[in-house]
Amino acid sequence: MTIIHISAECYPVAKVGGLADVVGALPKYQNSPDITSQVIMPFYNNKFTKENVFTTIYSNQISLGNRLIDFNVLMLKEKPLDFDIFFIDIPELLFKDYVYSSDDTERFLGFQIAILDWLLVWEKYPDIIHCHDHHTGLIPFMLQESYKYEAFRKIPNILTIHNAQYQGWFPHLKVGLIPPFNFNHVGLLDWGGTINPLAAAIKCAWHVTTVSPSYMEELKLAANGLESLLSSESDKCSGILNGIDTDVWNPETDHYIVKNYNIKTVKAGADANKKYLCDTFNLDFEKPLFAFIGRLVGEKGSDLFPQVFKQALQNNNINILLLGSGNPFVEEELKTLKNDYIGTYNAYIGYDEKLSHIIYAGADFLLMPSRVEPCGLNQMYALRYGTIPIVRSIGGLKDTVIDISKENGFGICHNNVSVLEITKAIDRGVALYENQSEYKKIRKSIMEIDHSWHVSAEEYIKLYKSIN
Ligand code: ADP
Ligand code: GLC
């Protein structure tokens, strides 16, 4: 069975968030003697493409409306990844130093058309086309409706929704950019009067998955306008929890962290990483360290951070360290706060892969007060590194973290996203930290929880077989 994953991000090539981690790991865990799982992604102008050598395996032009645009398909010449990866190089549209921007309609439509044009010349078509998020959402529609791609009608395709907040909307005026199709079916593209690639994919894909079972249920109630669509299509929808790449995220071998460790050596290992963080960010090693890593957007509850941090630092003897970027207003507030809490609070505004690993290893608690969290990988990384997650029970967080008050509980959960509830959850963390024997017991137990991809990768394979 040949599977192709189509995505805008894939670790280690280009990463904005968890989508990259998933697409960079799932194919590796799907590959077996009977299964070839591959990735197709855009060729960006970034560190990875600068540092690697590529060969061109195909060149042609796509029609985007009335423009003819050159494209190439590239492969890595040396240093292969653990799975085959193909790059769609459209210099005019995709070769930029960013992944997402305001001109994404043309960029990702060009990407999707180039992929299908190239697939037309494949000797043997793939058995499954697996699309990820709205940037690839017009593929299920084009496979079903565009005259040019009639040969693909029988290829089963799947859409995985990593985040339904973003849907890729564009006006009907641009419908001419899509290769000609039966115009009687133009309604498949529409949701609420505009072209909505995510909605079109939900309608046309053979199956739709979300990245956790709870998120699937939540989307039927709140999906940024797509609730009724997801309810009416629910027969072909299911939730499959993401896994984590336990080769990359392994405290015993992680080359980013200051000192490696395992369950037996966690105290010394975590302490060395915490010491590095405290020295680097002028924090107090003796106090518990609460950290946040992520995008500073409303979904993550980040607009409340300035208030929450002030309150928590006033109430308790703790450190807080934040790594993230996003909303410029929140960024500014978080920077300003540094002056008021020198020695117990710090923030690195930006993106830093290495630092994120050291924080998972060195922090005592990881904060995730998300308003929306389709899956969330951070809490699973934290668990593997022995850092206790403090989460709002929603989406994948609800599916992966059990509160310490419950049987076999190991995390701290709260139900609402408010300054009061988040600070109360931090207070509970402080109380747990003060009970060092209990804290240490939990730290060891969470490192043993298995969130590796093996189970979920297999679930996807079963799903492919069921629709093939
Ligand atoms: P989302 O995809 O919604 O951002 P996830 O929890 O699925 O959330 O995944 C986020 C991924 O991005 C994790 O690998 C996390 O470590 C990483 N990440 C987020 N922000 C940063 C940052 N500022 N620096 C380094 N890594 C980050
Ligand atoms: C999205 C979601 C996040 C999820 C990730 C990977 O970015 O916001 O919750 O973990 O995709 O599926």
Side-chain angles (χ1 to χ4, degrees):
M1 176 187 270
T2 307
I3 302 148
I4 54 168
H5 290 275
I6 305 180
S7 169
E9 301 178 36
C10 177
Y11 181 82
V13 183
K15 168 166 167 178
V16 176
L19 171 63
D21 290 4
V22 170
V23 178
L26 177 56
K28 177 166 114 182
Y29 290 89
Q30 287 182 328
N31 272 323
S32 73
D34 306 329
I35 290 169
T36 307
S37 185
Q38 311 175 315
V39 171
I40 307 181
M41 71 173 298
F43 191 68
Y44 302 112
N45 181 10
N46 67 11
K47 191 165 177 281
F48 185 94
T49 57
K50 282 191 189 104
E51 287 176 355
N52 284 278
V53 188
F54 298 83
T55 12
T56 302
I57 57 164
Y58 183 72
S59 296
N60 209 332
Q61 289 186 316
I62 49 161
S63 304
L64 192 63
N66 50 19
R67 288 157 74 198
L68 279 178
I69 303 176
D70 293 333
F71 80 96
N72 308 296
V73 181
L74 313 177
M75 282 189 84
L76 278 164
K77 195 167 183 183
E78 297 153 7
K79 297 194 255 170
L81 303 182
D82 293 315
F83 46 86
D84 293 338
I85 180 159
F86 302 99
F87 299 89
I88 302 297
D89 174 29
I90 313 182
E92 204 178 307
L93 300 175
L94 295 173
F95 194 64
K96 311 282 178 190
D97 60 4
Y98 49 80
V99 174
Y100 306 118
S101 178
S102 52
D103 54 351
D104 282 354
T105 298
E106 279 78 4
R107 294 177 68 227
F108 287 109
L109 241 172
F111 171 58
Q112 296 171 83
I113 294 170
I115 292 173
L116 297 189
D117 281 5
W118 172 51
L119 284 188
L120 280 175
V121 302
W122 277 31
E123 245 170 50
K124 187 179 172 306
Y125 293 155
D127 299 298
I128 293 283
I129 297 181
H130 191 149
C131 300
H132 295 267
D133 272 352
H134 77 81
H135 319 98
T136 63
L138 291 172
I139 287 184
F141 173 82
M142 293 193 281
L143 291 173
Q144 182 180 306
E145 300 293 334
S146 289
Y147 299 122
K148 198 175 176 185
Y149 306 127
E150 205 138 7
F152 296 146
R153 296 285 191 263
K154 291 202 173 116
I155 305 181
N157 58 83
I158 287 197
L159 166 76
T160 291
I161 304 177
H162 295 258
N163 197 327
Q165 291 302 109
Y166 311 100
Q167 299 169 8
W169 313 266
F170 62 91
H172 277 281
L173 272 176
K174 292 194 177 182
V175 72
L177 296 175
I178 301 172
F181 57 93
N182 178 355
F183 214 74
N184 291 328
H185 295 173
V186 68
L188 289 171
L189 292 171
D190 183 88
W191 195 254
T194 54
I195 295 184
N196 184 321
L198 191 67
I202 295 169
K203 294 179 202 176
C204 299
W206 291 31
H207 193 92
V208 177
T209 65
T210 54
V211 288
S212 71
S214 286
Y215 187 52
M216 185 78 251
E217 291 314 305
E218 287 159 10
L219 283 182
K220 292 177 194 159
L221 303 173
N224 205 4
L226 300 182
E227 306 74 22
S228 60
L229 178 61
L230 282 152
S231 298
S232 63
E233 297 285 359
S234 66
D235 284 353
K236 64 168 188 189
C237 295
S238 60
I240 299 181
L241 189 71
N242 284 335
I244 61 171
D245 189 335
T246 43
D247 296 335
V248 175
W249 298 94
N250 180 354
E252 219 168 349
T253 53
D254 188 332
H255 58 273
Y256 283 133
I257 64 178
V258 174
K259 185 177 169 77
N260 291 112
Y261 59 95
N262 56 30
I263 293 192
K264 286 188 192 135
T265 55
V266 55
K267 166 118 184 68
D271 275 1
N273 285 284
K274 180 172 176 180
K275 172 108 185 24
Y276 170 88
L277 293 171
C278 291
D279 292 348
T280 312
F281 292 98
N282 184 27
L283 301 170
D284 185 343
F285 180 80
E286 297 307 323
K287 297 177 179 164
L289 175 56
F290 291 75
F292 171 86
I293 300 170
R295 297 178 292 118
L296 300 175
V297 294
E299 287 182 339
K300 304 282 178 194
S302 66
D303 45 303
L304 302 183
F305 289 175
Q307 260 318 101
V308 168
F309 292 175
K310 264 187 229 165
Q311 196 74 51
L313 288 160
Q314 273 162 25
N315 291 357
N316 300 295
N317 245 335
I318 59 170
N319 301 293
I320 296 181
L321 176 61
L322 173 139
L323 164 63
S325 61
N327 181 324
F329 183 73
V330 174
E331 285 185 358
E332 218 34 60
E333 276 192 285
L334 289 169
K335 276 190 216 157
T336 312
L337 205 63
K338 289 190 203 179
N339 304 324
D340 299 334
Y341 296 96
I342 295 169
T344 50
Y345 163 76
N346 216 329
Y348 179 95
I349 303 297
Y351 188 94
D352 190 323
E353 191 73 25
K354 178 178 164 71
L355 179 56
S356 74
H357 286 239
I358 302 175
I359 296 178
Y360 290 118
D364 299 300
F365 297 92
L366 187 82
L367 299 168
M368 293 185 78
S370 306
R371 289 197 176 88
V372 178
E373 198 60 82
C375 178
L377 300 172
N378 299 16
Q379 79 281 13
M380 296 196 260
Y381 298 147
L383 292 170
R384 184 142 167 88
Y385 284 70
T387 295
I388 296 173
I390 301 187
V391 307
R392 191 248 174 142
S393 284
I394 186 105
L397 298 173
K398 191 169 159 187
D399 294 343
T400 52
V401 183
I402 305 173
D403 190 85
I404 42 169
S405 63
K406 303 211 170 111
E407 205 186 333
N408 299 325
F410 51 81
I412 293 175
C413 303
H414 54 99
N415 288 324
N416 297 300
V417 183
S418 68
V419 175
L420 186 69
E421 284 215 21
I422 305 168
T423 45
K424 269 193 182 164
I426 294 176
D427 295 348
R428 289 183 68 209
V430 174
L432 175 62
Y433 190 78
E434 279 165 2
N435 183 350
Q436 274 291 305
S437 65
E438 183 62 12
Y439 171 81
K440 285 181 183 155
K441 200 172 101 200
I442 293 180
R443 182 163 69 178
K444 281 190 192 281
S445 74
I446 58 181
M447 290 180 74
E448 275 180 325
I449 299 175
D450 182 5
H451 278 301
S452 62
W453 264 110
H454 298 287
V455 176
S456 302
E458 189 49 40
E459 260 192 79
Y460 277 112
I461 301 286
K462 275 194 202 137
L463 173 64
Y464 302 149
K465 288 184 177 158
S466 75
I467 60 167
N468 211 321

